[in-house]
Amino acid sequence: MRLTTLVFSLITPLVSLALPVSEYVLHARDAGQNVSSNTPVLSQQAEFSGDVTQCTGYNVDNTTPSSSGGLLIYLTLTNKCSAYGNDISYLTVSVEYETSSRLHVHIYDNDIHQYQVPQYVLPRPDGTTSEDKSDLKFEYKTDPFEFWITRKEDNAILFDTRSENISTYTESIQIEGAYSNYTVLPSHPLVFEDQYLQLSSALPNGANIYGLGEVIAGTGYRRNESATVQTFWTRDVGDPVDENMYGVHPMYMETRWDEQRKKLMSHGVFLLNSNGMDVILRDGVIEYRAIGGTFDFYFFSGPSPNDVASQYAQAVGLPQVMPEWSFGFHLCRWGYTSVNDTRTTVARMREAGIPLEVQWNDIDWMRAYREFQFDQNYAPDEYKAFVDELHSMNQHYIPIIDAAIGCFINQFDVYSRGHELDVWMKNPDGTEYVGAVWPGELTSVSYWFNPKMQQVWTEAFYNLSQVVDFDGIWLDMNEPSSFVDGSATNSTIPIEDTTVVPPNYTPQAPPVDFPEGYWPNISGYSGNITVNGTLTYGQNGTAPKNTALRRSYTAEIQQAKRNGGSGPTTPDLPDYIPDIPYVDEPPYPIRNQAGRLSAKTVSPNATHYRGLQEYNVHNLWGTMEELAMHDTLLELKPGKRPFMVARSTFAGIGRKTAHWLGDNYSTFAYMKRAIQGVLQFNLFGIPMVGPDTCGFNGNTDEELCNRWMQLSAFFPFYRNHNTKLALSQEPYVWDSVRDASIKAINARYSLLPYWQTLFAKASEGGTPPVVPLFHEFQNPSYLSIDSQFLIGSSILVTPVLQPNESTVYGVFPNDNGVFWVDWWTHSRVDNSNSDNISISLPLGEIGVHVRSGSVLLVYDQPEYTVKETRDGGYGILVALDGKGYAEGDAKVDDGASYPVNELTCLSFVASDGKLCSTPQGNYHIDGQVNTITIVGVWNKPSKVSLNGQDVDGSQIEYDDQVGRVKVSDVGGDLNQGWTLNWE
C-alpha cells in the first residue's frame, strides 16, 4: 500500500554511504560489473575468485540407510575453490521417500552450521514410504557426486544435476534491456560454501516453467525459460516487472507434453531456503545460487498440474479456510481524512446500490501515521461508533497496521512495552535497531523470533480492539521496509539527512500525468470514457495490443520497468548461530534491484533473538509477523476464522494469511498482470489473493475501472484501493462503473457457495481454486494463456483487457464434446468446430461461462451483504452436457467457525431427466433450495415432480431458445436427499 518508494521500519546498520540513484541502478543490475562483458559475476570480496570453473564438486565417501528407510550419502570436497566463500569440506545428502508423490533430498553441512528454517516457521510434513512405493526414483553417481530424479510412470528425468547434460553459457544475454553477467553459466559443479551455494539441473529446451515468485513476469504466468534471473530478497517497491519484490516462493512447476500419452505431464520442485538467492533460467538449464543455508529440496511427481499444486500445499501447509464474509466486496482509499469521510463513502455506496461488505482504512486513522495512535479526526468514541454502525448493518471493518513501531510514547505505549520485554531488533553492538517510516520519526523493529514478542503484539491489538472492534487486519510494509539506509543509532548518516517522510505526509500533486492514454488538456480532468462523444483513450497508453491471432492475447508486451532433512537438520531453533564473515556485502552479490541488501530495508547485520542475523531470516520477516498476527486474532476472537491480508509472504504462509498483489498501477497492462499474480499465488498455496482493483498508483479512468471491477469480481480477494490524491475510483464515481460493478458483484455473491466449496477443498487437500486452462484441458497450445482463467473446473472467465474494445477472442475448450453456457443468458457457445471464439463484450460486460456437465450450488438471490444473501436461501444451476448428464458437489458450513468441526457435503447428479441431491455430514443447512435451473432440456417438460410430488405449473418456466427449465419456490431441504424429475 503506498508510493513506489514506501518502506517499512526496520533499518540497516550502515556499512557505506548511500549510493546516488544512478549508482543504485548500476548496482542493482549487475553489482557494479561491466554489464556488457561476458565474465561471470565478480566477487565483492577480493579474497574470493568468483570463478566456479575451478570448482570440481564433491565425491561420495560412504552411504548408509537412514533410520526411516531412506538413504544417507556422505560427501567430501574434492578441492578448495573459494569462489564466493569458504568451502565446506564435508556434506551429508539425506534422501527420504516421504509419500508416493513426494521425495525429499537435503544436502547440508555435517556440522549443521548453515542456517535452516525452523520447524515452527514452516512445519515439515510427516510421512515415510519406501522407494518401491514411490512414483519417483533417486539415482546418483559418485565421482563427482551428481544426482537425478526420475518419474517412474513415464521414465521422465525431472531433475538432473549431471554436468554433461546441462548447457553452459559463456556469453551474457539481455535482461530488461541490458546485458547481465548473471546469465553467464560457465560450468555446473556442486558448490557449497558458507556464503555461496550453487546447483544446476538440466531442463528441456523451451521448458514450460511456472512459479519462482513473487514476480510480475514480462512474459506472463509462463516464465521466460531462456532469459530469467529471479532474485529472492523481499523488497518494498511499487509493482515492478521482472524484479524481486514482496514475497519469496522458490518453487516451480514444469509441464511437458507427452506425445506418446497425448497428455500434459507436470512435476514440481521446491527449495526450502530463506537466504538471499538468484535462480537463473536459460535454455536447457536452471541454476540456483544462494548466499547461505542448505539445499533442502522437495520433488513432487504430479503428474497433473493440479496434483503438483496439491502436493506442494500438502508439504508446506494447506491454505486456511476463509470466513465467508471475506469473499464480499472490500473498499479502501488512502486519503479518507476523517471518520465522517469514511462514513460518507459507506453511505454513498449504499445509496448507489453497490454491495459493500468490508470497509477499510489506510494509515489515515493514525496520528502522524504512528501505529496504535488515533488521529484527531479519528477520535476513539467516534471511530468506535462508526465501526459499530457497520456491524449493525452486517458489514465488516479492517484497519491497516504497518510493521514499524514509533520509538516515542504512543497511545498504548507499544514501544515501551517492547523495550521492557526486550523484543526489538538489535544492532551488532547490542543497541536497539532504529529506522524510520511513515511516522516521520524513529521507529523500532520487532524480532519475531523472541517468544515474548507475541505477548507485546497481542496486548497491543487487544487494547486497539477495545476501541475499534476490527474484523480483520491488513499487514503492510512487512518486507520489512525502511525509509533510511542504516540504523539511526549507529548510522554514519545523520538522521536529519535521511529521506524520512514528514508526519501526515501528503503528495503535492497527482502521482502520474493522468489516466493512462488520457489527454487532460483535451478531455479535462474527469477520467470519463468519453468527452463530448469522443473516446478519451489515446495513443500514449501502455495497454497490450491484440494481435488477433488464434489466441486472444497471445503475448503481453514486454514493457520496460515503470518508474519507479529431518531431526537435527531442521531444528526448532538453531543451537548454532552461523558466524557470517561478510554480512552486509556478501562475496556473491545477488541481483537485488534495490541495490545493496540493506537498501530500503533492515540491514542484514541487524540481530534477532539469541543473535540470529537478519542476513539469514530477512525473507521470513513478514511470515513471522503473520504467524504472530494469526495467533493474536485467534486469542481476540476465539472460535472465529482469522482474516488478515499481508504483503510480504514466504512459502507455506497460506495456512495463515491472504495476500494482495501490492502497489500496482492504474493501467490496462497491470489489470492483465493481475491474472498472472492470482494464478501464481494459487500455485503457491495462498489462494485468497487479488489486486488493488482499478489500480493503486496513478489515476484510473472510467473504462479501465469498469473493466477491472468486473474482472476482480471473479478473483478470490476483491478490493478496490488507490493512493492519496489520485482520482476517486469508488465504483459510484461513474454511472457505467456503478452498473458494471453491481452486475458483477451480484454474480459473485450468487457464486459464494461455489467459492466456499473450492476453498474448503483447498484447505482439505490443496487443490487451487483458480487455475489456468491447461490445468483442466490437455492441450499444449494452452500453456501460455493467462488472459483467461478457470474458477474451479466449471467457470471460465474471459475479460476484456484492452481499451476501446467490445469484442474479444477467447479459448473455449471442446475436448470430449465439452461446450460452454453463458452465465448471464444461458445461451450455448458454439465451439464444436473451433475452440477459438469471438464473443461480444461491450463495456459493462465480462465473459463468464459454465462448463457443460456441471451442477452448481448457488445463492438464490444476491443481496447487499453476504449475510443477507446467505439468509435468502439457495439455488441450483445445472448445465447438462450433450448426453444429458451433469454432476457437481458443494461443501457447506457456517462460514465462520474455526476450526471447521461441522460440515455437510452435497453431491448432485443429473441424468435421464432427473436431478438427485445426496447430503453427507454433520452441519445443519438452514437455507432451503428456492430455485432449480436446468439448461440443456430441449423439449418442454410435460411434468415436473419433486420426490414424487407434482410441481404446480405456475412454478415452472421454460425457454426453448436456450433449453432452460426453471423451477421456482421449490422449498427443497438440503439436509435430506431428494430427486427432481422432468418428463
Side-chain angles (χ1 to χ4, degrees):
M1 97 164 230
R2 293 301 169 269
L3 301 175
T4 306
T5 55
L6 293 199
V7 194
F8 181 125
S9 101
L10 309 185
I11 296 131
T12 112
L14 198 66
V15 170
S16 58
L17 295 179
L19 296 174
V21 172
S22 60
E23 293 183 52
Y24 262 128
V25 173
L26 179 60
H27 186 94
R29 287 177 179 266
D30 282 275
Q33 326 250 331
N34 178 354
V35 296
S36 64
S37 76
N38 292 321
T39 58
V41 176
L42 301 178
S43 172
Q44 294 190 124
Q45 305 297 335
E47 64 187 279
F48 302 116
S49 68
D51 184 5
V52 297
T53 65
Q54 301 304 307
C55 303
T56 56
Y58 291 76
N59 287 342
V60 175
D61 263 355
N62 192 15
T63 65
T64 184
S66 69
S67 60
S68 59
L71 178 66
L72 295 174
I73 306 172
Y74 301 103
L75 308 181
T76 298
L77 184 70
T78 58
N79 76 302
K80 291 189 177 293
C81 65
S82 303
Y84 297 101
N86 299 301
D87 293 281
I88 295 176
S89 298
Y90 304 103
L91 305 177
T92 297
V93 183
S94 169
V95 182
E96 298 289 344
Y97 293 92
E98 295 186 340
T99 70
S100 61
S101 60
R102 183 175 72 237
L103 173 63
H104 185 191
V105 178
H106 189 184
I107 306 174
Y108 58 92
D109 55 312
N110 284 6
D111 293 332
I112 314 179
H113 285 179
Q114 294 289 104
Y115 183 75
Q116 297 179 44
V117 177
Q119 285 272 11
Y120 65 86
V121 178
L122 201 162
R124 304 307 191 270
D126 296 327
T128 300
T129 190
S130 58
E131 179 182 347
D132 62 313
K133 294 180 180 179
S134 174
D135 299 334
L136 299 170
K137 184 178 182 180
F138 173 90
E139 298 176 90
Y140 68 98
K141 55 188 290 189
T142 60
D143 185 13
F145 168 75
E146 295 171 330
F147 71 92
W148 60 101
I149 309 295
T150 304
R151 182 171 49 215
K152 297 176 184 177
E153 178 183 349
D154 55 350
N155 205 34
I157 297 176
L158 309 182
F159 197 84
D160 187 357
T161 70
R162 291 172 292 185
S163 55
E164 67 265 26
N165 295 336
I166 309 175
S167 302
T168 58
Y169 293 93
T170 57
E171 296 183 352
S172 64
I173 55 175
Q174 290 190 11
I175 301 289
E176 296 177 72
Y179 284 92
S180 172
N181 296 54
Y182 289 84
T183 61
V184 177
L185 310 175
S187 65
H188 300 292
L190 169 60
V191 181
F192 204 114
E193 299 170 343
D194 58 350
Q195 290 193 258
Y196 184 72
L197 285 70
Q198 178 181 307
L199 184 71
S200 304
S201 172
L203 289 174
N205 285 331
N208 301 293
I209 300 290
Y210 309 89
L212 296 176
E214 182 176 6
V215 67
I216 300 170
T219 55
Y221 180 52
R222 181 183 179 276
R223 303 304 303 272
N224 184 341
E225 79 285 359
S226 60
T228 288
V229 179
Q230 181 60 54
T231 299
F232 295 96
W233 187 258
T234 57
R235 171 183 173 218
D236 167 29
V237 60
D239 288 7
V241 177
D242 289 325
E243 297 181 8
N244 57 307
M245 46 192 300
Y246 316 114
V248 165
H249 300 271
M251 175 271 183
Y252 73 85
M253 178 176 71
E254 186 201 337
T255 300
R256 306 174 186 176
W257 174 250
D258 188 318
E259 184 62 31
Q260 180 180 355
R261 291 170 174 77
K262 300 296 182 183
K263 64 186 294 188
L264 295 171
M265 302 288 284
S266 299
H267 67 275
V269 180
F270 169 50
L271 174 57
L272 175 52
N273 185 316
S274 65
N275 284 84
M277 188 186 338
D278 287 331
V279 176
I280 295 88
L281 294 174
R282 291 196 66 173
D283 286 323
V285 59
I286 180 171
E287 182 166 285
Y288 295 87
R289 300 172 182 171
I291 58 174
T294 64
F295 281 130
D296 196 357
F297 282 104
Y298 291 82
F299 300 95
F300 309 101
S301 64
S304 77
N306 275 353
D307 288 339
V308 173
S310 298
Q311 292 156 10
Y312 173 70
Q314 291 166 21
V316 299
L318 294 168
Q320 180 197 303
V321 61
M322 292 290 164
E324 188 173 29
W325 61 260
S326 68
F327 290 93
F329 175 60
H330 302 240
L331 182 62
C332 187
R333 177 185 178 88
W334 183 20
Y336 290 131
T337 59
S338 65
V339 169
N340 281 334
D341 191 15
T342 314
R343 180 184 280 117
T344 298
T345 295
V346 173
R348 292 190 64 184
M349 288 288 289
R350 188 171 286 273
E351 290 167 4
I354 306 169
L356 173 62
E357 184 69 20
V358 191
Q359 179 63 49
W360 297 45
N361 272 112
D362 209 313
I363 57 176
D364 309 287
W365 72 269
M366 307 172 191
R367 183 173 70 87
Y369 298 156
R370 296 170 182 168
E371 310 301 319
F372 301 104
Q373 294 191 56
F374 299 111
D375 184 79
Q376 62 181 356
N377 293 318
Y378 286 81
D381 290 346
E382 189 176 6
Y383 200 174
K384 175 178 172 54
F386 165 63
V387 175
D388 290 346
E389 289 169 15
L390 288 174
H391 290 159
S392 72
M393 297 184 290
N394 301 311
Q395 293 170 293
H396 296 80
Y397 178 74
I398 293 178
I400 192 173
I401 290 291
D402 284 343
I405 303 298
C407 291
F408 304 109
I409 300 298
N410 58 43
Q411 190 117 13
F412 303 127
D413 205 3
V414 179
Y415 167 74
S416 295
R417 182 60 169 150
H419 180 78
E420 174 189 348
L421 296 180
D422 194 24
V423 301
W424 307 123
M425 288 180 70
K426 299 292 196 300
N427 294 305
D429 62 5
T431 59
E432 286 183 355
Y433 189 90
V434 178
V437 194
W438 291 110
E441 60 185 20
L442 303 184
T443 52
S444 289
V445 183
S446 313
Y447 53 67
W448 302 104
F449 293 89
N450 188 326
K452 294 181 180 179
M453 186 61 216
Q454 183 69 60
Q455 179 181 349
V456 173
W457 204 238
T458 300
E459 286 177 1
F461 279 95
Y462 170 79
N463 291 330
L464 177 62
S465 71
Q466 299 309 291
V467 177
V468 180
D469 184 16
F470 51 81
D471 299 287
I473 289 293
W474 174 15
L475 297 178
D476 194 11
M477 313 289 279
N478 60 343
E479 289 71 38
S481 164
S482 174
F483 292 162
V484 295
D485 194 343
S487 174
T489 54
N490 71 347
S491 174
T492 58
I493 299 179
I495 191 68
E496 61 267 23
D497 292 340
T498 62
T499 56
V500 178
V501 174
N504 289 328
Y505 166 77
T506 296
Q508 297 305 302
V512 294
D513 292 338
F514 242 75
E516 176 190 28
Y518 193 92
W519 300 101
N521 59 327
I522 298 174
S523 302
Y525 292 91
S526 67
N528 292 348
I529 187 171
T530 61
V531 172
N532 297 326
T534 300
L535 290 169
T536 56
Y537 190 97
Q539 298 303 310
N540 62 329
T542 63
K545 301 298 186 287
N546 188 352
T547 59
L549 298 177
R550 184 173 186 273
R551 302 305 172 202
S552 55
Y553 308 113
T554 55
E556 181 178 346
I557 56 170
Q558 296 191 24
Q559 183 183 21
K561 179 175 60 175
R562 292 189 61 84
N563 302 329
S566 61
T569 66
T570 54
D572 283 343
L573 196 71
D575 293 318
Y576 177 84
I577 303 300
D579 181 17
I580 306 168
Y582 299 103
V583 175
D584 295 287
E585 293 187 354
Y588 176 79
I590 61 172
R591 195 172 179 266
N592 176 26
Q593 291 296 287
R596 297 186 309 277
L597 296 185
S598 60
K600 299 182 67 178
T601 188
V602 171
S603 170
N605 71 4
T607 58
H608 293 262
Y609 185 57
R610 295 179 60 189
L612 184 62
Q613 288 180 304
E614 176 74 3
Y615 180 91
N616 289 307
V617 299
H618 172 78
N619 291 330
L620 299 176
W621 203 99
T623 280
M624 294 300 292
E625 183 188 31
E626 290 141 25
L627 291 172
M629 190 71 246
H630 187 268
D631 288 347
T632 293
L633 290 171
L634 283 177
E635 184 163 340
L636 296 180
K637 295 181 179 293
K640 298 297 183 183
R641 296 174 195 177
F643 184 73
M644 76 180 104
V645 179
R647 193 168 71 175
S648 183
T649 58
F650 185 76
I653 199 57
R655 68 193 193 275
K656 305 293 183 182
T657 192
H659 173 64
W660 98 102
L661 296 173
D663 300 349
N664 60 1
Y665 294 83
S666 299
T667 68
F668 279 86
Y670 272 87
M671 177 172 63
K672 181 179 186 295
R673 288 174 179 140
I675 300 176
Q676 65 164 286
V678 170
L679 295 176
Q680 188 180 117
F681 273 87
N682 272 261
L683 178 62
F684 294 154
I686 309 179
M688 191 63 170
V689 61
D692 277 349
T693 298
C694 299
F696 175 75
N697 286 306
N699 286 298
T700 194
D701 65 73
E702 181 182 2
E703 183 184 15
L704 175 61
C705 200
N706 187 306
R707 294 299 192 187
W708 208 332
M709 281 293 295
Q710 292 208 313
L711 170 61
S712 289
F714 298 94
F715 290 151
F717 176 58
Y718 184 20
R719 182 183 72 167
N720 179 316
H721 176 230
N722 68 333
T723 192
K724 208 165 188 176
L725 285 192
L727 284 176
S728 295
Q729 62 184 45
E730 289 83 0
Y732 53 70
V733 171
W734 298 282
D735 290 348
S736 75
V737 178
R738 176 199 63 205
D739 296 343
S741 300
I742 292 172
K743 181 173 183 175
I745 294 172
N746 283 344
R748 178 184 182 86
Y749 283 19
S750 293
L751 283 167
L752 288 180
Y754 184 59
W755 278 113
Q756 285 286 82
T757 298
L758 295 175
F759 270 74
K761 292 179 179 180
S763 69
E764 294 170 356
T767 304
V770 180
V771 295
L773 274 67
F774 74 86
H775 276 230
E776 283 290 327
F777 299 98
Q778 303 289 323
N779 192 325
S781 66
Y782 296 171
L783 289 168
S784 295
I785 295 176
D786 59 6
S787 56
Q788 293 172 276
F789 56 92
L790 289 162
I791 304 173
S793 61
S794 296
I795 299 292
L796 175 61
V797 180
T798 307
V800 175
L801 300 171
Q802 299 179 71
N804 301 345
E805 295 286 350
S806 59
T807 59
V808 63
Y809 275 89
V811 172
F812 292 84
N814 55 12
D815 302 17
N816 300 314
V818 167
F819 58 87
W820 300 86
V821 173
D822 190 298
W823 167 269
W824 314 103
T825 66
H826 295 158
S827 61
R828 174 176 170 174
V829 173
D830 184 6
N831 63 339
S832 57
N833 296 319
S834 172
D835 62 355
N836 195 55
I837 307 296
S838 175
I839 57 176
S840 175
L841 294 173
L843 192 66
E845 303 289 340
I846 182 171
V848 182
H849 292 82
V850 182
R851 182 179 182 171
S852 61
S854 299
V855 180
L856 303 179
L857 180 69
V858 298
Y859 282 137
D860 186 52
Q861 184 61 48
E863 299 291 350
Y864 195 77
T865 66
V866 169
K867 182 183 185 304
E868 292 161 343
T869 299
R870 183 186 180 103
D871 290 346
Y874 295 90
I876 295 175
L877 174 62
V878 181
L880 297 172
D881 67 11
K883 298 179 180 180
Y885 180 85
E887 64 180 10
D889 59 9
K891 293 178 179 289
V892 185
D893 59 29
D894 66 4
S897 297
Y898 188 83
V900 179
N901 294 317
E902 295 183 358
L903 174 72
T904 290
C905 301
L906 303 171
S907 296
F908 304 103
V909 176
S911 65
D912 299 325
K914 63 181 179 181
L915 170 67
C916 299
S917 172
T918 305
Q920 182 177 4
N922 61 349
Y923 176 71
H924 185 273
I925 303 173
D926 292 329
Q928 293 185 326
V929 176
N930 298 328
T931 303
I932 298 175
T933 303
I934 306 157
V935 181
V937 179
W938 295 105
N939 293 303
K940 183 177 180 179
S942 59
K943 177 181 178 181
V944 176
S945 62
L946 179 65
N947 292 333
Q949 299 295 315
D950 289 353
V951 176
D952 188 274
S954 63
Q955 299 172 238
I956 304 168
E957 298 177 29
Y958 181 71
D959 186 335
D960 59 1
Q961 297 298 307
V962 295
R964 178 178 63 213
V965 177
K966 182 177 180 180
V967 184
S968 303
D969 301 323
V970 175
D973 185 355
L974 289 169
N975 301 290
Q976 305 294 325
W978 50 261
T979 299
L980 182 83
N981 292 79
W982 60 94
E983 300 176 7

